[in-house]
Amino acid sequence: MKEGNFLDKVIEYEQQLDSMHKQFREIIGFVAKMTEENHSLQLENHHLRTRLNELDLESKAAADKKHAQRMQRADVGEGVDNLARLYNEGFHVCNVHYGSTRKGEDCLFCLSFLSKQNL
């Protein structure tokens, strides 16, 4: 191999090494940036999951409260239905004559009581 040819090859390899070194530094910078962004996104994801769990618990508590209120209303509604059935069967449901037979006529006390309960 000639000396001029050898020097040209060494210079060419040196240029290639410089180019690869620049590319390597760019890759290192890109990896550092992606690692930082990944860490930031993991923190944000953690905070969002925590907040979502809090909202789920609040939502479940509100739903449980509404369900309990509905059940309580249903219980009251069932009792009123039973009283209305008794009234239709001919018995008083008012506090004045409770349990006695109506003898076919309407009782204003019973009707007033039943209308208040249906509100």
Side-chain angles (χ1 to χ4, degrees):
M1 192 184 294
K2 295 184 182 175
E3 196 174 312
N5 236 358
F6 180 74
L7 285 175
D8 289 339
K9 287 285 186 194
V10 169
I11 290 171
E12 185 182 329
Y13 289 144
E14 184 180 17
Q15 289 172 350
Q16 287 177 355
L17 279 174
D18 283 342
S19 176
M20 286 193 310
H21 188 65
K22 283 181 185 177
Q23 290 175 356
F24 188 68
R25 276 189 263 147
E26 288 174 4
I27 290 173
I28 289 175
F30 179 75
V31 168
K33 181 180 174 185
M34 290 296 112
T35 302
E36 183 178 320
E37 188 175 333
N38 184 37
H39 180 67
S40 173
L41 290 172
Q42 284 178 341
L43 283 174
E44 183 178 0
N45 192 18
H46 174 71
H47 291 301
L48 289 172
R49 285 184 191 277
T50 302
R51 183 64 181 136
L52 183 61
N53 287 338
E54 290 171 359
L55 290 174
D56 282 346
L57 290 174
E58 290 172 9
S59 174
K60 187 172 192 278
D64 289 346
K65 184 177 179 182
K66 283 183 182 178
H67 179 69
Q69 288 173 344
R70 273 193 232 118
M71 293 305 293
Q72 186 177 13
R73 280 191 218 126
D75 292 343
V76 169
E78 186 177 333
V80 171
D81 289 344
N82 286 335
L83 290 175
R85 183 181 48 79
L86 286 172
Y87 181 79
N88 288 331
E89 289 177 2
F91 295 96
H92 283 277
V93 293
C94 63
N95 62 346
V96 178
H97 304 288
Y98 184 79
S100 61
T101 56
R102 285 189 299 120
K103 299 177 186 160
E105 64 235 14
D106 284 334
C107 172
L108 294 178
F109 296 117
C110 291
L111 292 174
S112 174
F113 173 75
L114 289 172
S115 68
K116 286 179 188 175
Q117 296 303 313
N118 286 329
L119 297 176

